[in-house]
Amino acid sequence: MEAMLAAWVMKMYKINLTPTTDQIATRGRRLMQLSSLVSVPLPSRYWVTAFCGRNYLSVRKAAGLDTQRLLAAGDVAQITARLEDLEQVYNMVCVPEVIEDRAKGLIGRPALRFRDCPHRIYNDDEAGLQHASARHGRRFVAPKGVKMPYIPCECNRESVTMLCWGNATGECMSPIFIWQGKTYPQNYLANTASSGFTPACRAKQDSHMMDGRVWVGCLAWMATQIKGGVSPTNKVLLIVDGHTSRLTCEGVDEARAVGFEVMVLPGHCTHFVQPWDKVFGAFRKKYEDLYVAAALTRKGSFTLSKLMWLSLVCSALRNMVDDTPNIHKGAWKKTGLWPLDKVVVLAAARGASSAAEAWLTKPVVEVTDADVLAILTIPMDRTGQQLAAARVAPVRKIRQLLRITCCITSDEIAAQRLATPPASPPPGS
């Protein structure tokens, strides 16, 4: 039984979807239940460690996000293999053949495949939002001479996750909001009808982040919103990222039972291959504009109720769709997922790999003791431009020297000045 679990771990590692210890514990419990047909508690982390030791595996920390994106974008073989899998899925039958039967009033129709039905190919992604000022962290304009202007700020920093989804024809579906708490008042969605969307809300007690349990509820609700219905014989393709909530046992089982054919994108490649990643930027701009307009109508008050805030978010999504109707459909074409274009995807992967590699491998500034001594003895009122004009050191060296190197303190510099004898005057002076 452990050999099957170890083989699954190696398979997931080879496709850049390395499982977490929680996923291994969940899979292990499921295998134990199938073998013993009794309820088994979730294995502890000590069992996971022992399992890794018995099967030549080890528990490791993940690399940094930039490093993972560099390695994933440079793995052309892995991306090509996933595109081939996606091409096979596009050739699958999504709507079965209908045999003509005049007695029952049935009109004959051939079987339809996903490549012929872009309206049955969906992509989803989450975005984190704050029930607070949209201008937090931005630059502000104030009278000249004011160093730190007072900025009115929302005291409530509650975070919310918004799940957006849409199909390859460019249709944007109603979003799903995930709140932290045991439940949510039903009147939260009272003012969203004017935007044309009918969103749903899900409550999660410990946090607002997506997990397997919330994902199961989202799948059931999404199936009710798709035109034509969803069933095991009337399938819909759902292209998702490699988030752990999509890979849980209950999430996979629910998707299969409802009628979703789930396709996972290559790991750490969603920044250039997922359509919704190309859309969120335009949405946030619309959201900021509406937030500022709402603050002006309320005479500068940035305090918005949750009921008004949800209406504002849905209105921003509607304005984005109305002002740029082809933005979502263009995102599918730009990423190369519809129509499927391997050349576009691989070109984007090479571009992302080159950009990440240039950022990660940028040359390190050489620092010498003379540079440190020269910078620390400079009067504090001189600006960076004056330092560069005086050719003391490159401007970008200054912070690196003061914050990273800084091996000579001001006391040591004063001691060196006292220990150094003054230069003898030139003859004849």
Side-chain angles (χ1 to χ4, degrees):
M1 195 67 67
E2 282 195 358
M4 297 173 58
L5 185 59
W8 174 77
V9 173
M10 294 302 299
K11 183 178 180 181
M12 297 294 285
Y13 169 75
K14 289 180 180 179
I15 61 175
N16 285 353
L17 291 175
T18 307
T20 63
T21 54
D22 295 335
Q23 288 177 313
I24 293 177
T26 304
R27 289 268 176 173
R29 179 177 65 174
R30 190 175 186 184
L31 290 175
M32 294 176 191
Q33 290 176 345
L34 292 175
S35 60
S36 60
L37 300 179
V38 295
S39 179
V40 180
L42 189 68
S44 65
R45 59 186 179 91
Y46 301 105
W47 180 89
V48 176
T49 304
F51 162 76
C52 293
R54 291 191 297 267
N55 294 276
Y56 200 67
L57 301 170
S58 60
V59 180
R60 290 285 185 266
K61 288 184 178 181
L65 180 59
D66 296 309
T67 304
Q68 293 183 16
R69 285 183 171 181
L70 170 62
L71 298 176
D75 192 354
V76 179
Q78 183 254 147
I79 298 175
T80 304
R82 196 63 60 85
L83 291 176
E84 292 176 354
D85 294 340
L86 183 59
E87 188 175 14
Q88 293 179 4
V89 174
Y90 277 1
N91 290 325
M92 291 177 56
V93 175
C94 59
V95 180
E97 179 184 5
V98 177
I99 301 176
E100 184 175 358
D101 190 344
R102 295 184 179 180
K104 297 182 179 181
L106 296 178
I107 300 176
R109 185 190 61 197
L112 300 178
R113 303 180 185 273
F114 284 118
R115 65 168 182 261
D116 306 320
C117 304
H119 61 282
R120 300 193 72 80
I121 302 176
Y122 286 81
N123 170 243
D124 74 87
D125 196 15
E126 306 101 78
L129 299 175
Q130 271 194 341
H131 179 208
S133 173
R135 309 171 70 197
H136 176 68
R138 298 299 184 96
R139 295 182 179 272
F140 294 84
V141 178
K144 194 170 183 179
V146 177
K147 297 294 184 182
M148 299 176 64
Y150 171 76
I151 305 301
C153 183
E154 170 69 55
C155 60
N156 181 17
R157 293 289 180 185
E158 185 176 2
S159 297
V160 181
T161 296
M162 181 178 68
L163 177 68
C164 296
W165 58 301
N167 56 35
T169 62
E171 184 181 6
C172 182
M173 308 298 290
S174 299
I176 303 175
F177 297 97
I178 305 173
W179 297 86
Q180 180 178 358
K182 293 183 179 179
T183 184
Y184 64 92
Q186 295 295 328
N187 64 347
Y188 276 8
L189 306 177
N191 292 345
T192 59
S194 60
S195 64
F197 291 113
T198 56
C201 281
R202 293 290 180 268
K204 184 182 175 186
Q205 185 170 356
D206 51 349
S207 72
H208 65 93
M209 302 299 291
M210 176 73 75
D211 64 0
R213 181 184 61 83
V214 178
W215 175 242
V216 169
C218 292
L219 285 174
W221 183 83
M222 291 162 66
T224 63
Q225 303 297 309
I226 296 177
K227 298 177 182 179
V230 185
S231 67
T233 58
N234 192 21
K235 295 184 178 182
V236 166
L237 176 59
L238 187 59
I239 302 176
V240 300
D241 55 21
H243 193 267
T244 54
S245 61
R246 274 69 163 174
L247 304 177
T248 58
C249 298
E250 55 268 24
V252 174
D253 292 342
E254 178 66 17
R256 190 175 300 166
V258 172
F260 284 107
E261 191 73 34
V262 179
M263 181 67 192
V264 182
L265 292 172
H268 299 290
C269 296
T270 56
H271 57 293
F272 64 84
V273 79
Q274 182 158 244
W276 267 105
D277 274 16
K278 307 293 184 183
V279 179
F280 278 135
F283 161 74
R284 291 185 184 276
K285 290 180 180 178
K286 297 293 182 182
Y287 170 65
E288 181 179 349
D289 293 341
L290 287 181
Y291 202 107
V292 174
L296 292 176
T297 58
R298 297 171 65 86
K299 298 182 180 180
S301 174
F302 277 72
T303 303
L304 297 177
S305 64
K306 292 182 180 179
L307 192 145
M308 181 181 293
W309 181 78
L310 273 179
S311 175
L312 185 145
V313 173
C314 293
S315 298
L317 195 61
R318 172 55 59 190
N319 290 351
M320 182 199 71
V321 174
D322 293 342
D323 295 345
T324 53
N326 294 325
I327 184 172
H328 195 202
K329 185 176 181 180
W332 283 83
K333 185 176 181 180
K334 187 176 181 179
T335 55
L337 292 187
W338 182 266
L340 184 61
D341 193 339
K342 298 180 182 179
V343 177
V344 173
V345 179
L346 294 177
R350 284 191 293 270
S353 177
S354 300
E357 185 175 6
W359 185 86
L360 290 173
T361 60
K362 61 183 179 180
V364 180
V365 179
E366 293 289 338
V367 177
T368 63
D369 292 344
D371 292 331
V372 179
L373 181 62
I375 289 180
L376 290 180
T377 55
I378 294 171
M380 297 301 294
D381 57 346
R382 301 188 68 178
T383 64
Q385 293 181 352
Q386 291 172 339
L387 292 178
R391 298 181 181 275
V392 176
V395 176
R396 76 175 191 169
K397 263 190 184 182
I398 296 172
R399 291 191 179 274
Q400 181 179 2
L401 293 170
L402 294 179
R403 293 187 177 184
I404 300 177
T405 310
C406 228
C407 56
I408 301 179
T409 63
S410 57
D411 294 336
E412 293 173 346
I413 294 173
Q416 288 184 9
R417 287 179 176 176
L418 293 176
T420 303
S424 58
S429 60

